[in-house]
Amino acid sequence: MGSVNSEVHRRADKGEGPAEPAKVGFAGFVGSVDRRIYAIADDPYCLWEDDTKAAALAFLRSVDHEYFEYIVQRSIADLENPANGMRAATSMRLALFHGGETLFLLIGALIQAPLCPHAWIGQCSTGDLRIVLERIEAGGDLLMQNIRI
């Protein structure tokens, strides 16, 4: 199967038209790409991607939900060890904060961008996350969202 450009050149060789490559317009490109509009707090964004559903599912499946349990299990063994006890306690505290941040990011993405959580989480800053969480806590009607709470 020949490309569009080879077809144009074949026609040109037969004298049927100019030997110029075919041009795909912007409209052709836009029609083949998924577009998702979402917000982080009150700032609107647009994601353009070949297959947002597949990307979102791949992202969500890549979240290692057993990671935090692993950190705790590894750290428990060292808590009683005088040489590593403080390191183990610090590791567990960091895992707690990391786990909380991950949970809150997933909640924010669920509320504001359920069809593209990978884009929302990648774009959301710590300050934006605080705004989103404050508005969720206050029952904020000002929060742009894609679902009703």
Side-chain angles (χ1 to χ4, degrees):
M1 184 171 166
S3 71
V4 173
N5 288 338
S6 65
E7 177 64 21
V8 169
H9 288 290
R10 187 190 62 73
R11 282 197 214 156
D13 291 343
K14 289 184 169 185
E16 297 174 11
E20 294 180 17
K23 295 180 181 164
V24 177
F26 185 69
F29 169 75
V30 171
S32 66
V33 176
D34 288 343
R35 297 173 306 278
R36 299 283 180 237
I37 296 173
Y38 64 98
I40 298 175
D42 290 325
D43 298 325
Y45 293 89
C46 184
L47 171 68
W48 293 38
E49 194 162 38
D50 288 336
D51 188 350
T52 54
K53 182 178 180 179
L57 287 173
F59 170 77
L60 292 172
R61 288 183 178 134
S62 74
V63 175
D64 184 0
H65 61 278
E66 295 176 347
Y67 169 76
F68 301 107
E69 181 181 353
Y70 167 80
I71 295 295
V72 169
Q73 294 301 324
R74 297 287 297 183
S75 299
I76 284 175
D78 287 333
L79 278 175
E80 300 299 324
N81 182 334
N84 292 326
M86 291 300 286
R87 289 184 183 121
T90 301
S91 177
M92 290 175 74
R93 272 189 224 101
L94 289 172
L96 173 67
F97 297 139
H98 184 193
E101 181 181 30
T102 301
L103 173 65
F104 296 137
L105 282 166
L106 288 168
I107 290 170
L110 172 67
I111 292 171
Q112 288 204 290
L115 300 177
C116 52
H118 57 296
W120 195 94
I121 289 172
Q123 192 73 35
C124 185
S125 70
T126 303
D128 291 334
L129 183 58
R130 284 189 182 120
I131 291 169
V132 170
L133 293 175
E134 287 168 359
R135 291 193 184 163
I136 290 172
E137 184 179 15
D141 291 335
L142 301 175
L143 188 64
M144 292 174 59
Q145 60 193 46
N146 284 333
I147 64 169
R148 291 298 279 163
I149 299 176

